[in-house]
Amino acid sequence: MATAAALAGVYLLGTWAVWFTPQTGSIAFWWPAAGVSVCLIAMAPRSWWPMLAVGIAVASVAANLTGGRPLLLSSAFGVANAAEAVIAGLMLKGATGRLVQLIDLKDFIRLVRAAVAGAIVLSLVATSAIALTGEGPFRGTFRNLLTSHASATLVIVPVAMTWRLRTGIAGRREYAAQISLMSVATLAAFGPEHSLPLVFVTLPFLVWAALRLDPRTVTLEALAVALATVLLTASGRGPFGDTGEGGVIPLHLAPPLVLGFILTNAFIALPLTLAITQRSRALATLSEREGLFRRNFTESLTGMLLLAQRGDRLEIIDANDTARELLDEPGRSVVGRYLDRILTQSSALRGATQTMLAGNLDGWRGHVGIAYRPDSHVDVAISQISAGSEATFSAQLLDVTALHQSLARTVAAERLTNSLLDTARCIMLMTDMTGRVIRVNQATTLLTGFSEEQILGHPLWATIVAERRVDAVREMFASGDGADIAGTRETDVRTTTGAPLRVIWSTELVHNDDGTPRYAVLTGVDVTAERASAGLMANLFQAGISTAIIGLDAQGLIRVLNSGAESLLGYTSDEMRERSFTELLDEQELLERTGEGGQSAWSTLTSTLAGGAESQARDWTWLSAQGRRRTVEMTICGGGGEFGPQAGFLVLGRDVTEQRHGQMMLMAALEKERMAADRLRQLDTAKNEFVSTVSHELRTPVTSIVGYTEMLADGSPVTPDPAQVPLLDTIARNGARLITLCNDLLALAGLDTGGTVWDRGTVDLCVLARHSEDSIRPLVRDRKLSMSFDLPETPVLVLGDSVQLERVMLNLLSNAVKFTPDGGSVTTRVWADADEACVVITDTGIGIPTEEQDALFQKFFRASTAQAMAIQGTGLGLSIVAGIIAAHGGRIGVESASGSGSSFTVRLPLRAD
Ligand code: ADP
């Protein structure tokens, strides 16, 4: 339907144009039908073209015939029109098969090319026909046809190409004002006769439209002006219609002037509106990104501050919510205050601020506290955003108070455990669930003669377990569930001198939250002397005071007790005699263990002891004088004989209160230590997750900020002011640094959480070294550094991830280059040892002070030498390197001293053949 209407339009416009053909020639001076035909082809699906081409040809022939042209000429025009529409239409179809939109200057150039190409084809065909039929000269006709068709396409097709582009800057009122004034100006210019001086009065209004209105309105207005010009000129009005008697325009000049005018309008209005829309789009995207970036600032979980220079100090001029939560004192905002007032460590901070303000440092990282919260710990990183007399800085704050408190708790718990271990007089050992010793106290080394180093880190049975018990002990730990470990047992213990050592062990387990056993804690009392026959006499005397012996009758009433029992219980023999023994025991404990109380409990306890049997040694709570409770390892022996009735019982008890108390304390301390370590681990995981989420979230917007900034700096879409170029460069450079930082943090987070996926292939370190050399060369091109590579002829093969290993080499090489001043040298050596591949990168640079080398592979570490020379870096490279090497089962070491170069050695296991 629409197509039919358009074809009818082609016919009508054609007829109209032929009608208005000036008397001076055989051709119409503007051919709007051409524009409509091109739109038809460009907007229709491919399958419709043949039919449309025929339709256009027929409509044109009909229009020409109606306009009174001869059949032959009309037919030639018909074919030429169809050819023009197909050529231009095809050139204006985008990749999707639709008419392209007029969005940027490239599209405009495409439109011009299509209009000109179509018009040339038309002109060639039509002019030949005209020349052959003798209706007109070739040259003049060709030129007129070309301009009349090209200008029609250039004015009409843009309307279709901008139909959906409706965003302008102006408001409704401005639209109304512009459109009315434009109409008035057009009528003023083309309405009256003899109005040549007013010819360009419409132009400022068209420029206004291009600057402020949407592209569709602009193209519509240009079309409207073109139509008005043609119509009014044809009826003898306006600046170009003054062709009559005494008119200022010669008749044959009117058409080229009109076309020139139409084309001028098109060539001014279209590119201008395109440039403006493109610029506002770029700005909109940029401000959207900036909005995103701002949101990152305000909503970030890291505290962020914006700081401005005030003399030689930094004042907080903005803070995000997290920072406020952290720093605001009740009822007092941090904004407007000096940073060194808010944070402690002000001297280091001030020093760094002054160095930064002097331009010698563009960032500072440190560990500070918050002045009004004495126990707080905050990691802070300050970086310069802009320089100048009023330099601005940003500061990022991470609250690590919880981390520090956990650390402090761990240290305290560990101290308590150690002091308990070391002051105890009995043997104390702690093992993991495989039997490997992880703690040992001094008493153990004193009694057994094994040194701490000999015992620690080795299985129990490698040192102190007596030879004949080794298998049994190993068996105990083999199951891993600890079922057989806990309990009390008496065994011989191995000593370095071979001297006998007999110990009663009590073993307990420490469990994880989920109930799985984690450690075994063993305490042992030396009973060698008691058990040795040589010491029997002495022991009997000793036992008199250290062992409680109580004689009972068959009913469990106390008959006799020794002095050991008196001293343990704090009662005299007379006070105790005739009392029931069960009164000495904790009632609740007795009930729990026998299910009964009083006399019947006693019967249950002794029911299996007839005929001189002996009960298992077990810890019982005894109640002594003044209500004191003692833990006593107690054995009950049945008295009497085969022939007589049950004569009574003998109770033997040893006070183990201190020993058990020590063990309980130790277990509690271990538990505390374990919880603190777990909390630290959780915090560390949370911090890692946080860092990697933030880095990930940041990387995307920053990448696009950098991209857009580079576009702006390159002069697309508008050439920047020369004063803006350095600013844009700074944004791009700092953005690029941020991206590197994000990438490093993400790499580290991957290494920490095991999230990195490793490739495992054969890697030749020599090939890697050559690749790294190629990558590093551009860095040293402008430097006076001598670089040498000493690589063997034969490959040095390891198993691993070549991308990650190359990262290691590049990182070490770029550090060597970065930290070596001009005139120095950097040497890389690769070789294969017996079973290890070695890579050594040596430089003659600034070196790393010996006392700082312990921290070298920690995250964010930067040596004082690098900081003093203000050499940029994040301090993440080496920790990534260390992580990668560890994951490959290798080692990294450094030899360096301040000012005398550094040598990093990487050792990796060689691939087994
Ligand atoms: P970055 O180089 O980004 O600071 P790295 O983790 O790679 O981070 O290095 C950490 C720090 O170790 C550096 O800041 C520098 O102080 C020191 N360092 C590393 N390599 C060298 C070297 N070859 N010479 C001197 N110092 C070095």
Side-chain angles (χ1 to χ4, degrees):
M1 184 65 199
T3 318
L7 285 175
V10 171
Y11 166 72
L12 287 175
L13 286 170
T15 317
W16 171 76
V18 179
W19 207 265
F20 277 102
T21 302
Q23 296 83 356
T24 50
S26 53
I27 56 158
F29 74 82
W30 204 56
W31 193 262
V36 178
S37 311
V38 173
C39 287
L40 257 181
I41 293 282
M43 290 161 73
R46 196 177 279 265
S47 54
W48 291 21
W49 294 350
M51 197 189 77
L52 277 180
V54 172
I56 291 167
V58 170
S60 302
V61 172
N64 277 291
L65 285 175
T66 318
R69 284 188 171 148
L71 180 62
L72 194 62
L73 195 61
S74 299
S75 311
F77 269 114
V79 172
N81 273 316
E84 175 190 29
V86 170
I87 299 275
L90 276 183
M91 288 174 72
L92 285 174
K93 266 193 187 300
T96 53
R98 299 237 186 94
L99 176 63
V100 288
Q101 286 203 324
L102 202 50
I103 288 176
D104 57 25
L105 288 173
K106 276 205 308 284
D107 305 326
F108 180 67
I109 293 169
R110 184 172 182 162
L111 168 69
V112 174
R113 282 201 187 131
V116 171
I120 288 178
V121 170
L122 168 117
S123 309
L124 281 175
V125 177
T127 311
S128 311
I130 289 176
L132 285 178
T133 54
E135 294 262 348
F138 187 91
R139 246 181 60 201
T141 315
F142 183 87
R143 193 188 57 215
N144 289 348
L145 274 174
L146 190 70
T147 44
S148 68
H149 279 250
S151 63
T153 309
L154 276 173
V155 174
I156 293 171
V157 179
V159 176
M161 291 172 82
T162 54
W163 198 251
R164 297 213 194 109
L165 309 177
R166 293 185 210 167
T167 39
I169 309 163
R172 274 178 181 214
R173 285 201 192 151
E174 192 175 339
Y175 263 85
Q178 193 279 338
I179 292 171
S180 343
L181 287 171
M182 179 82 195
S183 316
V184 172
T186 313
L187 290 177
F190 294 95
E193 296 172 9
H194 317 296
S195 55
L196 195 53
L198 291 176
V199 62
F200 285 116
V201 81
T202 51
L203 208 53
F205 295 101
L206 207 52
V207 170
W208 175 5
L211 290 177
R212 308 272 308 165
L213 311 190
D214 60 288
R216 181 169 78 162
T217 311
V218 176
T219 53
L220 278 172
E221 286 192 359
L223 175 62
V225 174
L227 284 173
T229 315
V230 171
L231 281 174
L232 293 167
T233 305
S235 54
R237 291 175 172 274
F240 310 122
D242 194 10
T243 51
E245 282 283 305
V248 289
I249 310 269
L251 189 56
H252 68 279
L253 269 188
L257 280 174
V258 169
L259 293 180
F261 179 72
I262 291 176
L263 280 175
T264 311
N265 281 349
F267 275 93
I268 290 178
L270 287 182
L272 194 59
T273 187
L274 291 183
I276 296 293
T277 349
Q278 211 177 353
R279 197 187 73 149
S280 48
R281 267 173 203 227
L283 286 179
T285 324
L286 207 61
S287 64
E288 189 184 306
R289 299 293 172 193
E290 195 191 307
L292 193 64
F293 198 59
R294 274 219 142 255
R295 266 208 311 287
N296 265 328
F297 174 82
T298 46
E299 290 168 15
S300 170
L301 295 176
T302 313
M304 299 221 200
L305 298 175
L306 219 57
L307 308 159
Q309 174 180 4
R310 297 283 178 258
D312 61 351
R313 300 172 79 179
L314 294 178
E315 184 190 314
I316 300 170
I317 53 172
D318 200 359
N320 72 351
D321 292 348
T322 317
R324 277 168 202 252
E325 223 166 85
L326 194 64
L327 302 178
D328 275 357
E329 288 172 36
R332 184 164 185 201
S333 163
V334 281
V335 176
R337 301 183 62 191
Y338 288 121
L339 188 66
D340 52 305
R341 280 271 165 77
I342 303 283
L343 302 177
T344 58
Q345 292 287 331
S346 51
S347 58
L349 190 62
R350 273 198 162 202
T353 311
Q354 268 149 25
T355 330
M356 283 193 287
L357 291 177
N360 296 331
L361 190 66
D362 58 2
W364 180 76
R365 196 177 296 132
H367 186 83
V368 297
I370 302 169
Y372 93 97
R373 282 170 46 192
D375 293 334
S376 55
H377 293 268
V378 173
D379 279 344
V380 58
I382 304 181
S383 18
Q384 186 151 17
I385 302 175
S386 70
S389 60
E390 284 229 337
T392 48
F393 294 82
S394 73
Q396 296 182 28
L397 308 160
L398 195 62
D399 184 3
V400 288
T401 313
L403 198 70
H404 268 262
Q405 284 170 349
S406 262
L407 265 177
R409 272 205 295 270
T410 314
V411 172
E414 204 171 303
R415 273 207 199 119
L416 176 66
T417 317
N418 284 341
S419 65
L420 265 174
L421 280 172
D422 285 340
T423 50
R425 273 166 302 148
C426 56
I427 292 180
M428 284 194 176
L429 289 155
M430 195 166 112
T431 70
D432 62 15
M433 296 312 292
T434 66
R436 203 166 49 92
V437 181
I438 46 183
R439 290 273 177 89
V440 57
N441 72 343
Q442 279 173 3
T444 313
T445 56
L446 281 177
L447 286 171
T448 63
F450 288 105
S451 70
E452 199 174 299
E453 289 76 47
Q454 284 171 312
I455 301 176
L456 267 186
H458 304 285
L460 265 182
W461 49 90
T463 50
I464 59 169
V465 173
E467 204 130 326
R468 61 189 177 78
R469 295 247 332 134
V470 164
D471 287 341
V473 176
R474 189 184 280 158
E475 194 72 359
M476 240 161 57
F477 281 97
S479 71
D481 61 5
D484 304 332
I485 299 177
T488 310
R489 47 182 81 79
E490 182 176 327
T491 66
D492 287 328
V493 167
R494 194 141 71 94
T495 58
T496 47
T497 54
L501 180 62
R502 182 102 180 146
V503 170
I504 296 184
W505 292 104
S506 161
T507 311
E508 296 275 355
L509 295 177
V510 179
H511 293 90
N512 283 324
D513 287 342
D514 61 3
T516 52
R518 186 178 182 122
Y519 308 122
V521 179
L522 299 91
T523 50
V525 184
D526 176 8
V527 290
T528 322
E530 288 170 43
R531 300 290 188 259
S533 52
L536 194 57
M537 274 317 286
N539 244 304
L540 278 176
F541 285 118
Q542 173 66 18
I545 44 172
S546 68
T547 306
I549 304 172
I550 304 176
L552 310 172
D553 65 14
Q555 280 69 48
L557 295 183
I558 297 173
R559 295 282 173 205
V560 291
L561 61 161
N562 75 342
S563 58
E566 282 181 334
S567 71
L568 200 159
L569 290 165
Y571 294 116
T572 61
S573 301
D574 293 340
E575 285 172 315
M576 292 306 296
R577 212 161 287 135
E578 301 297 327
R579 281 176 65 182
S580 164
F581 177 70
T582 49
E583 283 174 32
L584 289 179
L585 299 179
D586 178 60
E587 205 177 327
Q588 192 61 32
E589 197 175 72
L590 193 63
L591 194 66
E592 273 167 23
R593 293 183 182 182
T594 61
E596 286 155 299
Q599 191 57 39
S600 31
W602 176 251
S603 313
T604 315
L605 265 184
T606 53
S607 58
T608 54
L609 304 180
E614 188 180 305
S615 76
Q616 284 265 328
R618 188 171 188 186
D619 285 359
W620 285 89
T621 306
W622 284 17
L623 307 173
S624 59
Q626 290 110 39
R628 284 189 309 142
R629 300 162 70 86
R630 313 295 299 171
T631 308
V632 177
E633 194 183 71
M634 176 173 97
T635 319
I636 310 172
C637 313
E642 287 167 37
F643 310 106
Q646 184 75 36
F649 299 94
L650 199 62
V651 172
L652 301 176
R654 175 208 297 275
D655 187 353
V656 290
T657 312
E658 308 311 327
Q659 185 191 342
R660 298 292 184 257
H661 183 65
Q663 191 169 13
M664 293 301 290
M665 291 270 285
L666 181 65
M667 306 247 313
L670 284 173
E671 181 61 16
K672 255 196 208 146
E673 211 177 291
R674 183 185 69 78
M675 272 163 41
D678 274 355
R679 171 107 180 94
L680 265 185
R681 231 187 325 276
Q682 280 166 8
L683 276 171
D684 207 43
T685 318
K687 204 171 99 181
N688 267 339
E689 270 170 19
F690 167 71
V691 167
S692 63
T693 317
V694 170
S695 314
H696 198 81
E697 290 298 318
L698 252 153
R699 185 166 61 174
T700 321
V702 174
T703 309
S704 80
I705 287 176
V706 172
Y708 279 104
T709 318
E710 281 170 356
M711 253 173 72
L712 282 178
D714 285 350
S716 126
V718 272
T719 314
D721 198 294
Q724 292 170 345
V725 175
L727 302 185
L728 292 173
D729 285 348
T730 313
I731 299 179
R733 202 175 49 247
N734 283 315
R737 270 177 62 191
L738 255 180
I739 295 173
T740 319
L741 177 66
C742 292
N743 285 340
D744 281 355
L745 284 171
L746 283 173
L748 260 183
L751 286 174
D752 281 357
T753 56
T756 313
V757 181
W758 300 93
D759 200 20
R760 207 174 139 77
T762 300
V763 183
D764 180 1
L765 292 181
C766 300
V767 173
L768 278 198
R770 273 183 222 112
H771 282 176
S772 313
E773 180 181 5
D774 292 343
S775 315
I776 213 81
R777 284 279 174 210
L779 274 188
V780 289
R781 195 173 301 139
D782 301 328
R783 303 274 318 272
K784 291 194 179 56
L785 275 187
S786 106
M787 289 262 288
S788 60
F789 284 80
D790 179 2
L791 310 175
E793 296 288 315
T794 49
V796 176
L797 301 180
V798 296
L799 266 187
D801 188 319
S802 65
V803 175
Q804 301 292 353
L805 289 174
E806 186 166 339
R807 187 173 199 164
V808 166
M809 230 179 248
L810 261 180
N811 228 314
L812 294 176
L813 263 175
S814 58
N815 272 352
V817 167
K818 189 162 77 170
F819 295 111
T820 306
D822 277 355
S825 64
V826 175
T827 329
T828 306
R829 224 154 72 74
V830 177
W831 77 94
D833 248 0
D835 55 355
E836 277 183 327
C838 303
V839 179
V840 177
I841 296 174
T842 310
D843 64 56
T844 57
I846 60 173
I848 305 152
T850 327
E851 64 278 10
E852 292 178 16
Q853 287 173 13
D854 279 350
L856 191 58
F857 298 99
Q858 285 174 11
K859 283 175 216 168
F860 297 114
F861 170 79
R862 307 198 58 228
S864 55
T865 37
Q867 295 203 34
M869 299 185 66
I871 299 176
Q872 283 191 354
T874 58
L876 290 175
L878 284 182
S879 51
I880 295 178
V881 163
I884 296 175
I885 292 173
H888 280 81
R891 291 169 291 147
I892 179 164
V894 64
E895 270 177 43
S896 179
S898 184
S900 54
S902 315
S903 182
F904 283 84
T905 306
V906 174
R907 291 175 179 276
L908 293 165
L910 275 177
R911 191 193 70 168
D913 285 324

